[in-house]
Amino acid sequence: SPQSCKVLILLPVLLPTIASVAILIVQRFQPRFGTSYLLAVATALANLGLVLSFHWNPPPALALANWLPFPGMPAAIIFQLDTVSWPYAFAIASLAAAAILTASGRLALHSIPADWAGCLLVSGTAILAIMASSPLALALAWTIVDLIELMLILGTVNKPQMSLQAVLSFSARLAGTFFLIIAMYVSQSGGQTL
């Protein structure tokens, strides 16, 4: 169906996100590096192949129009992979695949499945931000990236001072996104675009 084809563009985001959750679940209930590593490598290579295939067969754009409860603000969330954004998405997918493929050589340096899951999660959300084609989509995608960064930092630091800095940094970024959305609403209600 046409609607399922439009959701195809989210596959490079959903595949690493679901795989990162699966890696954490596998590691929690069956702590074997081999299974987690195989899942991470398969996901990274599949995602790289998927993004590469989008170069020749780009998926249709996904537009979520009129989803806001604000009257008079026709702000759409649009995600698309065009000739400008594809090289960046391919670079992110390539870097994630390279990091995962070389992780086995860094096992002595504390390369653990949680790091692989984090790498996949960050790469998936970065691809989402790269595909954002409207100001609102970009603001929301970067907020998701910031939230994941906050979760990863809070999950890895042991010092309360670092945790506080991470929360304050996230709060500042969230406030900036909030002000951007307000500015978009004000400009739209005034008949201008931001």
Side-chain angles (χ1 to χ4, degrees):
S1 75
Q3 188 62 24
S4 65
C5 282
K6 287 185 178 182
V7 179
L8 184 65
I9 195 165
L10 295 179
L11 202 53
V13 176
L14 295 175
L15 182 65
T17 302
I18 292 169
S20 65
V21 171
I23 288 169
L24 293 175
I25 289 172
V26 164
Q27 196 58 29
R28 177 153 173 100
F29 295 112
Q30 220 174 20
R32 288 192 223 145
F33 279 85
T35 306
S36 299
Y37 183 70
L38 182 63
L39 183 57
V41 167
T43 302
L45 291 177
N47 208 34
L48 180 62
L50 182 66
V51 172
L52 182 62
S53 73
F54 284 170
H55 180 63
W56 293 284
N57 292 322
L62 175 66
L64 304 171
N66 299 327
W67 65 277
L68 286 174
F70 304 119
M73 186 175 176
I77 294 179
I78 303 169
F79 296 102
Q80 74 179 36
L81 201 58
D82 54 14
T83 56
V84 174
S85 59
W86 180 84
Y88 295 106
F90 184 71
I92 293 292
S94 298
L95 287 172
I100 299 292
L101 284 170
T102 59
S104 62
R106 295 186 308 270
L107 286 176
L109 300 173
H110 196 64
S111 179
I112 57 173
D115 293 343
W116 309 334
C119 177
L120 289 173
L121 191 60
V122 167
S123 70
T125 55
I127 290 173
L128 180 69
I130 288 167
M131 293 189 304
S133 293
S134 65
L136 190 57
L138 184 62
L140 292 175
W142 276 111
T143 301
I144 292 170
V145 170
D146 289 339
L147 182 63
I148 288 174
E149 178 190 15
L150 176 69
M151 291 183 334
L152 291 174
I153 289 172
L154 291 178
T156 57
V157 298
N158 297 329
K159 298 178 182 177
Q161 180 71 17
M162 294 293 288
S163 297
L164 179 64
Q165 287 176 353
V167 170
L168 289 175
S169 174
F170 174 73
S171 300
R173 292 181 200 160
L174 193 60
T177 302
F178 179 70
F179 288 129
L180 174 67
I181 291 173
I182 288 175
M184 287 174 56
Y185 177 71
V186 169
S187 71
Q188 286 283 340
S189 61
Q192 299 174 344
T193 59
L194 187 61

